[in-house]
Amino acid sequence: PTEKDDLKKESKEVFGYPISIFFIIVNEFCERFSYYGMRAVLVLYFKYFLRWDDDLAISIYHTFVAFCYLTPILGAIIADSWLGKFKTIIYLSIVYAIGQVAMAVSAIHDITDSDRDGSPDNLTFHVVLSMAGLLLIALGTGGIKPCVAAFGGDQFGDHQDKQRRTFFSVFYLCINGGSLLSTIITPILRAQDCGIHSKSKCYSLAFGVPAALMAVSLVVFILGSGMYYKTKPEGNIMLKVSKCIGFAIKNRYRHRSRKYPKKEHWMDWAEEKYDKLLIAQIKIALRVLLLYIPLPMFWTLFDQKGSRWTLQATTMDGNFGSIVIQPDQMQTINPILILTLVPIMDSLVFPLIKKCGLHFTPLKKMTVGMILAALAFVCAAVIQLQIDKTLPVFPSASQSQLKFLNMGNTPITVEFPENHTFCTLLVIFFPEFINGMSTPVTVSSAAGHYGEIEPLHYSNYSEIKNGRATFTLQSGSQSCEYSKDFGFGGSYTFFIPSTLTFGPNCQESITESVDIKPNSVHMALQIPQYFLITAGEVMFSVTGLEFSYSQAPSNMKSVLQAGWLLTNAVGNFIVLIVAEIAKLPKQWTEYILFASLLVAVSIIFSIMASFYTYIDPTAIEAEFKKKVHDDEDDEDDKKKELQKSKEMEKRDSVSSDDEDKKYVQTSM
């Protein structure tokens, strides 16, 4: 037994599991809830709270996600080379929690809402604080990502392989469970109205709950401190690999002249300084990393379900009868389908394909996953075409929109001198309530107080919830109620005529104008695209990780994990590059562009995959070690033979000297 096994025997166990892992599992659940909950409402926070346009909101969103997948490399280096996993998780979790608190504070509109209209007046303060918060969150969540699972695995002894495998399964379920619950709960919190002086959408609560969960995650992890098995930093393999590759390239450049003999592989130029086994392992890893080059394009499409698809849902009808689905809640379909499709694929689909005699290799599965993701974006494009038919036509940046309001009782004619266009108007668009009476009217509802409207004036435009709303109109001692069913995305103007008679029949006297029609394309139409993208994820992501681990040398798994996370980061940067270069006027054309790019990349990947030969790295390492061992034995045998030969020569020399001495004595 190892020292680790001896320590495990001394630690307390429940049902054969170390007690310490229960703290780690709770910690992971809370952390994933915190991350996915914040991320679920992030793009809507950018658009509706910070008032950014769609392109800027999406650009910052994908930049943030990209950094979340770049920082794990930094976290792994810090843990393996300096602090160790335990301290790295503690310190970066503190950074993480501070970032979440900063996001929650940045979403409190009352801090800068001096005119108390429900929206922040100093956006610079909120932007700076939110960007600082996102930077800290990216550093925290990415930094602990490679440490927590590995730290959990460290808690098991070598005799607990079965328990370790079960732990990783439960660990994966906690990730999806936290994601599922958070993407259901935080959009509900966001949809609430809150505020000290004036009410607004409660982004502060939607960010505050994830911040609280992150604090709980940190506290729970610290509580288990005395029970953890903590390994010491042993150096980071990624740094060692990078140095070895760098030395090989540098040495190859120094020996570029034709007078030097060629080597079988360019990595062989590192043999002067590095172990041959390490070089052989790097060669195997590089073969897999080469296949990673086309992979970022999949993540380019996949991560847009949290940005473009969420914004698409804001223009759709989320009324599912007794349940009203928020646009950012549609993302919950992904974790639900993941938990459903993974066991179905593993126990039914893949075995069935195998029985049919089809050789469905991991790389072929990944290619199919790419095609499914491309089809998901084709579905999104078709839905967008239907949505575009229902949207109003707004003026472009070079155009203006002119609206006329006739407050009188008779029609008027308006002439446009440029093209002599004539319009006959009775009442046209204007925000919310317009008072056509000669006396002030106060309008209020459960959704908010609209204040007193002066004669021939209008109220501020106000946002109300989907469903039926009742407004109370009051002028002096007289009052009446007006009710209306509101749909998603609709904009209405209500005209209070000068002839209004207060009483039970005032409902019929108020004139309603629909400025923008409510969303009519139902959110349920997004389900097929979510199904396709999730099926693609199962085929691509789950299979890709399995392939990478099966083809990686024993000490290179962390290197390939870093490479895999890097493909995700690059994919999010591609979203920014393609969207900026293309600048397509219609959203559906952008969906088709991304789908076409992924199809092209999947063809390239399938060609690269056809040249790949599957190997057993463990067998190759064992064979290589045996060869090295045999070479060392041969070298030892040669040394022994040489030593033996030298000893015999020495004996012969001594014997010859003795004979000479005897001869001299005899002669004397």
Side-chain angles (χ1 to χ4, degrees):
T2 62
E3 179 187 352
K4 182 178 177 180
D5 283 326
D6 292 337
L7 289 170
K8 292 294 104 193
K9 288 176 182 176
E10 296 174 8
S11 65
K12 295 180 180 179
E13 295 183 355
V14 176
F15 303 114
Y17 294 88
I19 292 180
S20 56
I21 66 155
F22 295 100
F23 292 92
I24 296 171
I25 286 173
V26 174
N27 162 268
E28 181 65 12
F29 175 84
C30 294
E31 187 275 325
R32 289 291 85 186
F33 185 106
S34 176
Y35 173 73
Y36 283 110
M38 178 276 304
R39 182 172 151 177
V41 301
L42 188 59
V43 75
L44 298 185
Y45 166 76
F46 290 154
K47 181 174 181 178
Y48 295 110
F49 188 90
L50 299 182
R51 290 177 284 201
W52 290 349
D53 60 35
D54 288 3
D55 291 335
L56 180 58
I58 286 169
S59 296
I60 301 301
Y61 174 88
H62 285 285
T63 302
F64 165 70
V65 174
F67 275 110
C68 287
Y69 285 101
L70 280 176
T71 50
I73 299 172
L74 178 63
I77 292 172
I78 291 172
D80 293 342
S81 306
W82 181 26
L83 295 177
K85 297 185 188 75
F86 175 74
K87 288 184 178 179
T88 301
I89 294 170
I90 292 289
Y91 295 153
L92 290 183
S93 291
I94 293 171
V95 171
Y96 192 168
I98 293 171
Q100 289 282 32
V101 171
M103 283 300 298
V105 173
S106 76
I108 301 174
H109 67 273
D110 289 297
I111 294 175
T112 62
D113 186 15
S114 55
D115 57 5
R116 299 184 180 180
D117 64 348
S119 60
D121 297 326
N122 183 7
L123 281 177
T124 303
F125 168 81
H126 297 277
V127 170
V128 170
L129 190 59
S130 62
M131 293 303 102
L134 288 177
L135 184 62
L136 294 176
I137 291 170
L139 181 61
T141 187
I144 67 175
K145 191 187 291 288
C147 301
V148 179
F151 186 70
D154 289 344
Q155 307 309 306
F156 295 89
D158 295 336
H159 64 288
Q160 295 176 303
D161 285 338
K162 183 180 177 182
Q163 288 90 339
R164 186 188 287 111
R165 286 195 298 271
T166 305
F167 162 74
F168 283 119
S169 297
V170 174
F171 189 85
Y172 184 73
L173 284 174
C174 284
I175 293 173
N176 284 280
S179 169
L180 175 60
L181 284 177
S182 64
T183 47
I184 292 173
I185 294 171
T186 52
I188 294 173
L189 299 176
R190 174 198 61 77
Q192 306 305 308
D193 293 323
C194 64
I196 300 171
H197 303 299
S198 55
K199 302 296 182 183
S200 181
K201 292 301 177 187
C202 211
Y203 289 98
S204 55
L205 183 61
F207 290 142
V209 170
L213 263 291
M214 190 59 225
V216 171
S217 171
L218 177 60
V219 170
V220 168
F221 187 76
I222 293 173
L223 287 175
S225 176
M227 305 178 193
Y228 299 136
Y229 172 76
K230 303 164 190 172
T231 57
K232 294 179 181 178
E234 297 177 354
N236 188 270
I237 186 65
M238 286 186 287
L239 290 177
K240 196 172 183 181
V241 169
S242 300
K243 289 178 181 178
C244 184
I245 292 173
F247 180 79
I249 294 171
K250 186 178 175 182
N251 203 25
R252 174 68 184 88
Y253 180 76
R254 279 204 306 257
H255 297 83
R256 62 187 182 279
S257 175
R258 291 184 178 179
K259 65 180 181 180
Y260 295 105
K262 290 185 177 181
K263 293 187 180 287
E264 186 178 345
H265 193 280
W266 61 271
M267 274 302 303
D268 293 333
W269 289 99
E271 289 179 352
E272 296 177 15
K273 187 176 180 180
Y274 291 91
D275 182 56
K276 287 184 177 181
L277 177 59
L278 175 65
I279 294 170
Q281 290 167 331
I282 292 175
K283 287 179 186 177
I284 296 171
L286 287 175
R287 292 176 69 248
V288 179
L289 290 173
L290 181 65
L291 290 172
Y292 281 6
I293 294 174
L295 303 190
M297 200 64 217
F298 174 85
W299 301 115
T300 298
L301 276 69
F302 180 78
D303 281 330
Q304 288 191 67
K305 63 183 174 57
S307 57
R308 282 292 183 195
W309 287 12
T310 299
L311 292 178
Q312 184 186 61
T314 62
T315 59
M316 303 176 78
D317 181 9
N319 193 341
F320 285 78
S322 59
I323 301 173
V324 175
I325 300 296
Q326 299 297 325
D328 33 1
Q329 281 183 314
M330 286 300 289
Q331 298 175 57
T332 58
I333 296 174
N334 178 250
I336 291 171
L337 287 175
I338 279 284
L339 295 172
T340 306
L341 288 178
V342 168
I344 291 175
M345 291 283 193
D346 287 341
S347 60
L348 186 63
V349 177
F350 293 152
L352 190 62
I353 292 172
K354 191 175 181 181
K355 282 187 177 180
C356 292
L358 298 174
H359 190 47
F360 204 32
T361 62
L363 294 179
K364 288 180 181 177
K365 292 178 186 176
M366 292 174 69
T367 305
V368 171
M370 290 181 176
I371 299 296
L372 290 173
L375 288 174
F377 265 61
V378 172
C379 287
V382 173
I383 300 302
Q384 191 63 46
L385 279 170
Q386 299 302 312
I387 293 171
D388 289 346
K389 294 176 183 177
T390 67
L391 295 179
V393 179
F394 294 105
S396 65
S398 60
Q399 296 175 324
S400 297
Q401 189 175 48
L402 184 62
K403 296 182 179 181
F404 292 91
L405 177 65
N406 180 8
M407 303 294 288
N409 296 323
T410 58
I412 62 171
T413 301
V414 180
E415 181 180 345
F416 294 88
E418 289 185 5
N419 52 13
H420 302 285
T421 301
F422 296 90
C423 298
T424 301
L425 305 175
L426 195 58
V427 177
I428 64 168
F429 310 157
F430 221 82
E432 288 301 322
F433 287 88
I434 300 172
N435 182 12
M437 299 181 67
S438 58
T439 57
V441 176
T442 301
V443 180
S444 61
S445 74
H449 188 70
Y450 291 79
E452 187 178 75
I453 309 171
E454 294 296 327
L456 304 181
H457 279 72
Y458 55 88
S459 70
N460 289 328
Y461 184 86
S462 298
E463 187 177 338
I464 60 175
K465 292 182 179 180
N466 170 73
R468 191 168 187 82
T470 300
F471 302 92
T472 301
L473 283 66
Q474 187 169 2
S475 179
S477 60
Q478 303 180 86
S479 66
C480 70
E481 291 187 345
Y482 175 77
S483 299
K484 167 70 181 171
D485 288 318
F486 293 94
F488 278 98
S491 175
Y492 305 84
T493 297
F494 301 103
F495 183 68
I496 305 170
S498 59
T499 57
L500 175 70
T501 302
F502 287 91
N505 297 323
C506 76
Q507 178 90 16
E508 300 172 1
S509 302
I510 295 174
T511 304
E512 171 193 317
S513 174
V514 181
D515 302 343
I516 300 175
K517 291 181 180 180
N519 302 341
S520 56
V521 180
H522 205 275
M523 278 189 201
L525 293 177
Q526 277 196 325
I527 293 174
Q529 66 199 55
Y530 271 100
F531 177 82
L532 287 170
I533 201 81
T534 307
E537 181 189 6
V538 173
M539 286 281 194
F540 180 87
S541 182
V542 178
T543 306
L545 285 170
E546 178 191 342
F547 164 78
S548 300
Y549 273 70
S550 67
Q551 297 296 293
S554 57
N555 65 337
M556 293 286 162
K557 298 189 187 299
S558 61
V559 175
L560 292 181
Q561 176 70 13
W564 183 265
L565 294 173
L566 189 61
T567 64
N568 203 314
V570 174
N572 279 274
F573 282 126
I574 291 174
V575 177
L576 313 181
I577 296 168
V578 173
E580 187 64 28
I581 293 174
K583 287 195 175 296
L584 299 172
K586 296 290 185 181
Q587 184 55 51
W588 70 268
T589 57
E590 186 176 292
Y591 287 142
I592 293 295
L593 173 63
F594 279 116
S596 303
L597 288 173
L598 185 55
V599 169
V601 167
S602 65
I603 293 171
I604 294 170
F605 179 75
S606 63
I607 294 170
M608 293 173 65
S610 65
F611 290 99
Y612 184 84
T613 304
Y614 292 86
I615 60 170
D616 182 358
T618 307
I620 292 175
E621 286 177 326
E623 186 179 340
F624 189 88
K625 288 176 182 177
K626 184 176 181 300
K627 183 181 177 183
V628 171
H629 182 70
D630 291 342
D631 291 343
E632 289 175 352
D633 287 344
D634 291 342
E635 192 68 29
D636 289 341
D637 290 341
K638 287 180 182 179
K639 286 180 180 179
K640 287 178 182 178
E641 287 292 332
L642 184 63
Q643 185 67 26
K644 189 175 180 181
S645 176
K646 286 181 179 179
E647 288 176 357
M648 289 180 66
E649 287 178 5
K650 189 175 180 182
R651 276 196 223 100
D652 291 342
S653 176
V654 171
S655 176
S656 175
D657 289 344
D658 290 342
E659 287 294 326
D660 288 343
K661 286 179 182 179
K662 287 179 182 178
Y663 175 76
V664 170
Q665 289 174 356
T666 304
S667 298
M668 287 176 67

